[in-house]
Structures are given as C-alpha cells and as structure tokens.
Amino acid sequence: MNEVPNKKVGIKYRPDVDGLRAVAVLSVLAFHVGGFPTPGGFVGVDVFFVISGYLISAIVFSEIAASRFSVLGFYERRIRRIFPALFGMLIVFSILASFLLLPTEFVDFAKSLLAATTSTSNFYFWQHSGYFDSPTSNPLLHTWSLAVEEQFYILFPIFLVIIRRFFPTRLRVGVVVLFVISLVASVVTVHYDASTAFYMPYTRAWELLLGTMLSLGMFPRLHSSLLRNIATLVGMALICYSIFFYTTQTPFPGLAALAPCVGSMLIIGAGEFGPSLVGSVLAWRPVVFIGLISYSLYLWHWPVIILHSMGFSVNLNDILPQRWVAGLPAFRFDMVFEIVASLVLGILSWRFVERPFRSRPLRITRRPLFVMSAAVMFALIAFSGTVIFAGGFTGRFPAQAVKVASVLSKHEAPTFGRLGECSITRENRSEVLGTDKCLQLEAEKKNYLLVGDSHALAISTGLQVSLPEDRILLVSVWNCRPLLHPGGTSECKQEMDYIFRNYLLSHKVQALMLQARWHPGDMAGLTETIDWATQHQVPVIVVGPVAEYDAPLPRLLAFSIAWNKPDLANRHLVSLSPQMDAQMQSLAANKWHVPYVSLYQAVCDGKGCVQFADDAHDIPLMDDADHLNKPGSALVAKRLIEGGELH
C-alpha cells in the first residue's frame, strides 16, 4: 500500500495530546456536574473522537508501512485499552446496584449493562432516552460514546483489508469519501432527528476519520513557529467557544461539531512539527496527568454523579451542625464531592487496572486475554439476563417500600411547556408560542394567570382542583423564570416577552401568580418584574419555593422503610428552600408589598416536612426531588386554603 506514510513502527509520545485529553474530560465532567458556565461541555466527547482517530490510525499505518499490521493485533490493543477499566467499572457498579437500586431501576440498569457489555449502548439509549432528557435515570448513559468508538474500530480494520486487497493506491481517497458521506449524513440527520444523529456511528464516524486524515498527512505541514501558534490558538478558541457557548439546544452533531473537531485537529496537527504556546500549556505535567487518567475518570465520573443524585453520598446534615449546614451552599458542596470522588476513583482505576493490564505485572498474552475478556462478557451478560428475568429481585425490599418507589418508573410526556390548554412541543412551538388561542379568559369566573417553570405546572394541578370556582390559566416553560428579562432558552424569552408585553396589556386578570424554582440570583429580576406589574396595574401574587430534597423523595422514603429510618428523608432536605422562603417572604412584605404564598410552610415546620400525600403513606408528595405530583399538589393547595393563604 504505497499510499501509507513511511513512518517508523510506533509513534512518538505526545504530552500535548494527553493535555488535550484533559481538556476533553474536564469539559464533560464540568457539564455533567453542573454549576459551571460550560453548557456545551458535552463536546469533550467529540475531542476524544478526533484524538482516538488520530492515535489509532497513526499506529496502524506505521505498522502497515513496516508490513507488521495484523487485525488480531489491532483488536488485542483495543481490548487491552478499553476492556479492563470498563469491565472493572461495570462489575463494581453491578455489585452496588444489587443493593441500592430498586426493582424497576435494577431491571433498567440490567438492560443497559447488557448493551454496555456488548458495545451497543448507543443503540439502547437511542431507543430509550435522549442524552439531554433524563440522564440521571441511566447509570450507564456515558458508555454510548465507547460503543460508537468500538463499532468504528470493528469496521476500520475490515476497511483497511479491503483497501489493501482491491485498491492499494486509493487509501486517502477512500478515507475522504467515507468522511464526506458521514459528515453529510450527520448534517442531514440532525435536521430531521437529533437523537439519531447524536447516537449513530454513521453520523459520528467523520469525527474519528478527521483524526485518520490527520495521521495520513493530508493537511498542510506547519513548520513555521508563527503558523503553529496561530493554528493552536485558533484550535483552542474553537474548542472553548463550543464548550462555553453551545447549549443542549444547539443542533448537534452536524455542522456544529466541526468547531471542536477542527479545533482538535489544528492543535494535534500543529504539534507534529514543533512546539507552540498552547502545546506547552497542554504539556504541563499536572494537565498531562489528568489526560493520562482521562479514560478512567470518564468511566467513573458518571456513576459517582448517579449515586449522588440517588442520595448515596456524604450528607452535610450527618457531619456538621445544623446551623453550619444552613449557611453553606449545598450545591457547591455537591459539586466538590462529585469532582473529588470522580478524581479519586479515576486515579485508582488508572493505577491499579489500566496500567497493570497494559504492562507488567498483569499483562497477559493474546490468547488468555481474549479468553478472559470473553468470560467476563459472558458473566455480565448472564447477570443482566438473570436480573431482567427475575424482575429486579423484588424480594430485596419490603413490599411497602417497592410500592412507594413505584412512581419512579413514570415517564414524562415529551413536552417542554404548557400554554393554557395547550402543551408546547418541539413540533407545535411555532404555532402555539406567542398566541392567546390557548389562553382564553372566562367572563363569569375570576381568572388567575400562573406563570413560571415546571414548578408552576406542578402546583397548578392542585390549585385547579381546589379552586373550582376560579379559572387558573397556566403558562410554563421548563427551566424558565417568570421574569421580564429571563435567561434560558429562546422559547423562554419568546414566551415571557409575549406574556408581559402583549397578553397582560390586553387581558385583565384577577392576579398574576409568579412561581418557579427560585434562586438568590432571581430576586433582582423578580423585583423588576413586580415593579413593571405595579406600573401597569397588574396585581401580583408571589408563590415561594417548595421543599426540595437532594435525591428523589420516593427513593428516600423507600429506603427509610427498608432501613427503618423514619427521619431519612428529612435529613436530605436542601437547605436552600427554607432560606429562599424566608428571604422572599420578607421581600414581599417589606419591599414588594404583594401577597406571598409559602408552599414550604404549607408542609414544613421546625420538626420536618410532610412527605406523603395520603394518610395511608402510600403516595409520596413528589415523584422526584422537587416537583409536587398531582396528589401532592392537591394536598398543598388544600393546606393553603385551610391556612387562609388562598381563598
């Protein structure tokens, strides 16, 4: 194959490439942990794809040039690199899942374990969940990218064999053709079906092939120091732009993925011909170390986040006095815990699993490696099948605990808001948003307009049932504050602009009710919004936050029953809720001069909070950590009416 570059067998170690790995894994970690200004951190996976395509292709082509390439040898390297750390994580989490996951969750986990073991996770999650929809219900969601990569590398050697046999002088042409086909497929598919474009190997292959093209020397050689610095600076700017300015609403991958991928290509390509400022920073030893552990860190960060979201983590209430806990920002502690735990587990996995299996003392020869890998795969598949067949082994928990936790298996409809009588979906948003056809007033009733996010939807059901003589009109967009100048998605801004600058100016309502998952940073915007309403003679009622937990309430209640710890859920209350309730009540009385409705005080006192919506203690107040369900909403509304706050 005379088109393959004449490289020596093996490639020179590039510390800057490990540094780029660090950028990739830290962006993904920041995105998943939350609390950082990295809404596009998911592009770290695309950076990984380009790096992988470059390194693997460079090794393969150097072996081909030396007539040493072997398909079995190729697969052996992939197994040594991928399987030990992956199987280690899967085995450990499977053991934990056997004790911690409720029956329905255990069955779902077993199905995803089966997919992860067989490198088909991307297809499984494509069928069962969008990547940005409800990720914390999928403990192995992050393995989708490993599946895409492995599917590519299963076919890649076959492609090379075919090229060598039939088109020995057309390797570059073949790679370019596949690259173009995959990129076009990605651009077209993301327009019609974003989930398919996100998960499918044929829409992602071009990212790995970009690295392949780089290893083939198909881009200009940057021998000039000035050009290398320009290229790497532009490359890092492209990556950073996508990390900091992309969001989950960005059509992806498609053309948007070109920014992080081309940025990675520029940095890697420039580094082949000499140093640069960016390359020197990436080659800094602490950054390189993060790159070295990046694979294990990627594997373990998501299980840590999942377990934390389920309530299995360090609880501030258990280690610090209550007066200290009230003064600490709990979400900041959560972030630190998840990051530190992920790093510790990533380092342990790298040191005691990755390294030993790739070098002494645990490095074994090819045949035992294949046999051992097949045996572990078989064991994990058998374990998965047994759990699925047994229905998650319901006998692990008391029947009452299973009943209480059964609401966790409920799935929400694919909407992102409500507008009066209409659900807002991706398909109908252009027709529904910004119109009043769904918000008709009834002349014979008092019309209240409740505006907010998904928390407003949660309380609206109880208000509508408890106040049948009044009409409660709901306008809610998920993760959208009911403010004159909200942040959030374009749909949020469009709908709030319509409500405040159109609807309320032409429709007289009894009162405008504002409800959301309030945070301290919302208070200035809420003050501005109330001032606007006062100027336009729109009566306002501010609805405070609901009691919130650091894990889904049904799970906490199930484990409180199973472990005979009645106070377990109360110990997982988030301290921000009572703080915000007290602050907003004071602002309403002393600054805003508007009625204030305290959802928190309707169910909580100094001893704790009501957690069931029925006297039999069968129905939790919430189906998750912070949204009232219909029975819970009805109970809260009833208590508000009995307390004289609503009438």
Side-chain angles (χ1 to χ4, degrees), residues 234-427:
V234 171
M236 187 56 69
L238 287 171
I239 294 173
C240 290
Y241 175 81
S242 54
I243 291 173
F244 292 109
F245 293 99
Y246 284 6
T247 71
T248 56
Q249 305 300 316
T250 302
F252 201 86
L255 291 176
L258 281 170
C261 291
V262 171
S264 304
M265 181 202 70
L266 288 172
I267 292 172
I268 298 170
E272 283 193 332
F273 302 101
S276 66
L277 178 60
V278 170
S280 298
V281 174
L282 292 176
W284 187 37
R285 290 186 64 180
V287 180
V288 170
F289 179 73
I290 298 297
L292 290 173
I293 68 168
S294 59
Y295 176 53
S296 283
L297 178 56
Y298 179 80
L299 286 176
W300 278 104
H301 86 283
W302 190 240
V304 166
I305 293 172
I306 288 293
L307 288 174
H308 195 193
S309 71
M310 291 179 173
F312 306 117
S313 61
V314 176
N315 190 334
L316 285 177
N317 290 299
D318 292 331
I319 60 177
L320 294 175
Q322 180 60 38
R323 65 180 183 277
W324 293 10
V325 174
L328 289 174
F331 75 98
R332 292 293 180 187
F333 176 82
D334 293 345
M335 290 165 55
V336 172
F337 173 83
E338 291 173 357
I339 292 170
V340 171
S342 299
L343 285 170
V344 170
L345 290 172
I347 292 171
L348 292 175
S349 174
W350 169 75
R351 176 62 182 84
F352 296 107
V353 181
E354 277 195 74
R355 287 181 63 186
F357 272 93
R358 283 189 283 170
S359 57
R360 288 181 174 83
L362 297 182
R363 184 180 175 89
I364 56 179
T365 57
R366 179 182 298 171
R367 186 170 182 178
L369 177 68
F370 284 179
V371 172
M372 181 182 295
S373 299
V376 175
M377 288 182 68
F378 178 80
L380 289 172
I381 291 171
F383 174 80
S384 302
T386 303
V387 172
I388 295 170
F389 180 77
F393 293 102
T394 56
R396 293 176 301 129
F397 294 90
Q400 179 68 6
V402 174
K403 183 177 183 180
V404 167
S406 63
V407 296
L408 288 170
S409 61
K410 293 181 179 180
H411 299 286
E412 293 183 359
T415 63
F416 66 89
R418 291 283 306 180
L419 181 64
E421 305 300 326
C422 304
S423 294
I424 307 173
T425 66
R426 299 293 173 194
E427 291 72 29

Side-chain angles (χ1 to χ4, degrees), residues 544-547 577-578 580-586 596-606 608-610 636 639-640 643 645:
V546 71
S577 297
M580 288 303 307
D581 181 65
Q583 179 184 2
M584 295 182 71
Q585 190 165 32
S586 175
Y596 177 75
V597 176
S598 176
L599 302 185
Y600 182 85
Q601 294 176 30
V603 293
C604 300
D605 56 26
C609 299
V610 174
V636 171
R639 284 176 165 242
L640 290 172
E645 292 194 62

